Amino acid sequence: MTSREIVIQNKIGLHARPASLLIQQAKQYKSNVMLEKGGVMADLNSIVSLLKMRVKYGDIVILHADGPDEDSALRDLVKLIDSKFGEE
Amino acid sequence: MKTLFGIGVTNAIAIGTARIIEREAFSTAESSSDVNTEHEITRIHAALEKSRAQILEIIETTDQLNVDIIKTQLDLLDDPSFNKEPIYLIQNHKISAEEAINQITDELYQTFQGFDDDPYIKERATDIKDIGHRILANLTGKDIGFTNLLRENSIVIAYDLVPSQTAQLDRSKIRGLITQVGGTTSHTSIMAKAMGIAAVVGCFDILKHVKNGDTVIVDSKKGEVIISPEEDDYKKYLELKKEYESDLEAVEKFNHIKLQRQDGSPVYVAANIGNTAEAITAKKNGADGIGLFRTEFLFMNRSSLPSEEEQFAAYKEVAEIFADAPVIIRTLDIGGDKDLSYLALPHEDNPYLGVRAIRLCLKYKDMFKEQLCAILRASAFGNLKIMFPMISCLDELNEAKELLNACEYTLDQRGVSYNKSIEVGIMVEIPAVAMAADEFTKSVDFFSIGTNDLTQYALAVDRGNPALSALFSYFHPGVLRLIENTISAAHKAGIPCYMCGEMASDKKAIALLSDYGLDEFSVSIDAIGRVKKIIASQKDIRIQ
């Protein structure tokens, strides 16, 4: 399993659109991808668990990927988050 | 004729024909005692598949705005809550597919409805209700395919509207939306704002009084709905609607123009903002700069002073958004009437005439210097100017400027760069200062007239007191003379005079202010185009 810490820079956090983009991206990998915030885990195959986390601007979260393609999964997801999901 | 009230969502006005959208209601049978779990599981899978196909079809046939909104429902269908959880419930609790979906939908809906502090996430409750309803309909075999055809100029009326409904309506035929329930963050409001059309939500009893085909006026600004209006109301609203539409058109044309007088001197229309987010809108709406950046937001609703770093980040952000265009930052303008718990301000009988604004800052010098240092540091990133509020005498101004010098020295020691020739001005809001304006012109780079406070101090009227609203008027000759004197004293001394009070955006005042020679009108972010348009029509003004 690999993990990466990352800061959320979207002004209104992971609301519907970025959450949806994150979930869509995570689906592409064989690995199981999770997002951790404050010790709580959300499975990135579930938009409900991600939305329930209410990830906001400035939150520090940890991405975990576990599986054969975990490195590329993490790399791509980090890139997506860093790009602020194309907002602003 | 019947007039009903609700919450107006936009400023638009619509006149059209009522078209009532009903939501298919259906009851779900109670679970019988022997539930065939395998059968129920098959039914769930089929219903989910069908729902997915329907959503995809809606996405195919609707416009981009609705696509973005409704895509979340595809994610929901893939969510374990909807495709694994029901199976688990059916197997372990031996309930029917309908009961399983009902349970899950209700639970999720309640959870999301509870996220009051996060409106963007809370909105998803509507999507959950919407998709839950769809799965249920597919389970019970009800056809919730939409055949509601709309005619031109339709005012769509419903108890409530969900994304999958609005996604299937022909947008080009909708002039207005009315729902019996809902508030400013409900789906209907979001759609109305995005479409820029008239909408009234939370319109109690609308369904009881309106029928299909009725002529309906939707006054979104007032939050009023008139069913089957009388002749005069109809005519009046036709006029208002025309005015609103021409304003809108004009505003778009005028937002980005630059104005000047016959002699070539520029006339600016800037924006008043209260936080960094508004700066972006101000720029988008064509503001020539920021005439008033209120900094109180950094100090309020918190339990400790904002750090220099925090303030620096906010000032820098706005400086960068406006680049070369000037941004006037007003130092902390607050007093005992607001709750700054971390300062433990002593009680005052009359906080409005008390230790507030610059007086407070000169008392809490360390706090003031932190703000000044933050502004100076940010000045390296744009075109910032500093403005002191509520200055009443030269001593205060000089003391403030000395503290600014001290900050410059500190930054020099730290080796931090800043704009060494940053402009410093004062708000002219105390009548004695307006009267003796010429005494202050040599010590500042500009004046900015704060008409709200100037008027209340000059007329001895509390502007927040409704009993006195008839007396509060900046057209009082006394107030006008104060304003005129300020502008003329400024120009005699070769410095510009700006205005950041409400008077600057008042249609009835602009001609006068323009005549007085006001150099900058700083107004709220939505008034920029409108004000530019009015100024442009003044005899002495032309468009660059």
Side-chain angles (χ1 to χ4, degrees):
Chain A
M1 171 154 99
T2 349
S3 309
R4 253 290 287 268
E5 202 176 77
I6 187 168
V7 182
I8 300 298
Q9 313 223 47
N10 288 68
K11 284 282 139 69
I12 39 185
L14 295 189
H15 59 102
R17 189 181 157 273
S20 184
L21 290 173
L22 199 57
I23 302 277
Q24 296 306 321
Q25 185 74 35
K27 264 193 201 156
Q28 322 243 359
Y29 308 99
K30 295 201 186 69
S31 308
N32 188 27
V33 189
M34 320 265 291
L35 188 111
E36 184 186 335
K37 174 181 143 172
V40 181
M41 293 284 203
D43 198 325
L44 282 191
N45 68 4
S46 165
I47 190 158
V48 168
S49 49
L50 180 56
L51 289 176
K52 276 203 221 174
M53 267 193 162
R54 290 133 90 200
V55 179
K56 299 202 189 354
Y57 171 67
D59 276 349
I60 301 173
V61 300
I62 310 174
L63 272 174
H64 303 281
D66 191 13
D69 50 6
E70 61 189 42
D71 289 316
S72 47
L74 261 195
R75 189 191 52 225
D76 294 343
L77 288 168
V78 164
K79 196 153 144 220
L80 181 60
I81 295 178
D82 272 340
S83 78
K84 299 195 228 174
F85 301 90
E87 292 186 348
E88 302 132 11
Chain B
M1 186 199 91
K2 182 93 185 142
T3 307
L4 295 166
F5 302 92
I7 302 170
V9 176
T10 61
N11 286 329
I13 293 179
I15 304 178
T17 318
R19 192 66 177 91
I20 303 174
I21 305 282
E22 259 140 24
R23 179 99 154 155
E24 271 286 2
F26 43 80
S27 54
T28 54
E30 292 249 323
S31 285
S32 62
S33 45
D34 15 53
V35 163
N36 180 337
T37 54
E38 260 183 56
H39 177 59
E40 294 307 295
I41 292 173
T42 315
R43 292 181 67 220
I44 285 269
H45 283 311
L48 288 173
E49 284 263 346
K50 190 160 177 204
S51 304
R52 166 169 277 274
Q54 288 168 341
I55 300 287
L56 284 171
E57 199 190 315
I58 293 175
I59 289 178
E60 264 316 288
T61 56
T62 192
D63 58 41
Q64 193 54 44
L65 167 65
N66 284 300
V67 166
D68 289 335
I69 293 178
I70 214 169
K71 261 202 177 137
T72 322
Q73 297 193 12
L74 276 183
D75 291 329
L76 285 173
L77 284 170
D78 284 340
D79 197 292
S81 322
F82 282 105
N83 63 30
K84 289 210 178 60
E85 183 77 8
I87 316 257
Y88 169 84
L89 285 176
I90 293 170
Q91 281 172 331
N92 293 52
H93 298 271
K94 305 246 181 299
I95 53 175
S96 68
E98 284 90 340
E99 252 188 84
I101 294 291
N102 262 333
Q103 235 184 307
I104 290 164
T105 311
D106 278 344
E107 202 187 289
L108 282 177
Y109 182 76
Q110 291 311 324
T111 308
F112 279 77
Q113 270 292 94
F115 294 154
D116 277 321
D117 58 331
D118 203 326
Y120 292 97
I121 304 289
K122 184 174 167 173
E123 264 161 52
R124 308 279 68 79
T126 311
D127 288 312
I128 286 164
K129 190 164 72 153
D130 197 2
I131 199 71
H133 179 97
R134 176 173 299 276
I135 300 171
L136 220 42
N138 287 329
L139 274 175
T140 56
K142 282 273 182 177
D143 178 17
I144 55 170
F146 225 38
T147 50
N148 274 303
L149 289 173
L150 293 178
R151 298 224 182 85
E152 292 295 335
N153 292 328
S154 288
I155 304 289
V156 170
I157 305 175
Y159 181 75
D160 197 5
L161 287 168
V162 288
S164 61
Q165 286 174 304
T166 52
Q168 295 179 75
L169 296 171
D170 183 352
R171 269 231 264 170
S172 65
K173 306 223 165 59
I174 304 179
R175 291 290 168 269
L177 297 170
I178 307 175
T179 54
Q180 184 149 313
V181 298
T184 49
T185 55
S186 41
H187 174 68
T188 310
S189 301
I190 294 166
M191 284 301 302
K193 283 184 213 156
M195 288 163 71
I197 60 172
V200 171
V201 296
C203 187
F204 184 65
D205 264 1
I206 178 83
L207 291 171
K208 209 159 96 179
H209 296 283
V210 75
K211 44 186 207 310
N212 271 321
D214 280 345
T215 301
V216 175
I217 297 175
V218 184
D219 185 344
S220 196
K221 193 164 187 181
K222 290 217 268 189
E224 257 178 52
V225 169
I226 305 178
I227 305 172
S228 305
E230 312 267 343
E231 184 78 36
D232 345 314
D233 264 335
Y234 185 82
K235 281 210 183 100
K236 177 177 104 176
Y237 270 98
L238 213 49
E239 264 314 305
L240 283 173
K241 182 161 108 79
K242 275 206 202 106
E243 219 183 83
Y244 171 76
E245 276 156 15
S246 99
D247 266 353
L248 215 52
E249 211 187 283
V251 154
E252 263 141 46
K253 280 210 296 254
F254 285 85
N255 269 351
H256 294 272
I257 62 168
K258 299 272 178 258
L259 299 161
Q260 61 182 180
R261 298 184 188 283
Q262 297 292 7
D263 65 7
S265 57
V267 177
Y268 299 113
V269 177
N272 298 333
I273 59 172
N275 59 55
T276 55
E278 289 184 331
I280 301 171
T281 312
K283 179 116 206 269
K284 187 166 78 90
N285 290 355
D288 296 330
I290 299 290
L292 169 61
F293 182 1
R294 299 184 188 100
T295 55
E296 293 73 62
F297 75 102
L298 288 162
F299 293 78
M300 288 173 59
N301 298 319
R302 45 185 300 146
S303 49
S304 60
L305 274 175
S307 65
E308 186 189 301
E309 279 315 304
E310 241 187 282
Q311 295 189 58
F312 166 61
Y315 306 145
K316 174 173 177 269
E317 198 185 323
V318 178
E320 287 176 331
I321 289 170
F322 276 85
D324 291 333
V327 172
I328 301 178
I329 300 185
R330 182 183 68 186
T331 55
L332 185 60
D333 187 358
I334 218 165
D337 50 306
K338 293 282 192 318
D339 182 30
L340 287 184
S341 56
Y342 47 85
L343 283 184
L345 299 174
H347 168 78
E348 288 177 317
D349 281 339
N350 192 343
Y352 289 102
L353 295 182
V355 179
R356 64 182 300 111
I358 194 67
R359 302 164 184 182
L360 188 68
C361 289
L362 293 177
K363 185 152 178 247
Y364 291 83
K365 291 188 169 60
D366 287 336
M367 172 186 81
F368 191 37
K369 277 163 66 180
E370 255 191 349
Q371 180 170 46
L372 292 173
C373 281
I375 297 174
L376 282 171
R377 283 172 60 192
S379 69
F381 297 88
N383 184 0
L384 294 182
K385 304 188 190 191
I386 301 180
M387 178 164 74
F388 300 127
M390 216 180 170
I391 291 279
S392 61
C393 61
L394 272 175
D395 283 346
E396 273 178 339
L397 177 56
N398 290 332
E399 209 188 324
K401 284 167 80 176
E402 258 170 51
L403 289 170
L404 183 64
N405 280 341
C407 289
E408 291 184 336
Y409 182 74
T410 307
L411 291 182
D412 286 336
Q413 299 293 95
R414 279 201 238 161
V416 173
S417 55
Y418 58 92
N419 176 2
K420 291 202 198 293
S421 39
I422 190 169
E423 280 187 30
V424 175
I426 60 172
M427 280 207 57
V428 175
E429 43 193 347
I430 293 187
V433 171
M435 279 192 268
D438 55 319
E439 299 270 334
F440 294 81
T441 52
K442 290 195 186 54
S443 315
V444 296
D445 296 308
F446 63 88
F447 283 153
S448 186
I449 305 176
T451 54
N452 304 349
D453 277 338
L454 183 67
T455 308
Q456 86 166 346
Y457 294 138
L459 297 176
V461 167
D462 175 354
R463 62 184 158 108
N465 188 338
L468 298 173
S469 54
L471 287 179
F472 183 89
S473 168
Y474 34 67
F475 291 107
H476 188 294
V479 178
L480 291 181
R481 279 188 213 173
L482 290 173
I483 294 171
E484 210 204 334
N485 190 51
T486 307
I487 299 176
S488 108
H491 288 173
K492 257 213 193 85
I495 62 168
C497 188
Y498 313 140
M499 179 179 285
C500 55
E502 266 166 43
M503 189 181 181
S505 59
D506 186 339
K507 189 160 60 176
K508 305 194 276 310
I510 290 175
L512 198 55
L513 294 171
S514 182
D515 263 355
Y516 288 163
L518 192 64
D519 300 293
E520 176 182 277
F521 295 70
S522 194
V523 300
S524 71
I525 52 186
D526 339 305
I528 295 164
R530 177 168 66 79
V531 170
K532 282 192 181 182
K533 181 181 178 198
I534 299 171
I535 298 175
S537 67
Q538 299 310 310
K539 55 176 169 32
D540 179 46
I541 308 282
R542 44 169 218 257
I543 301 176
Q544 274 179 33

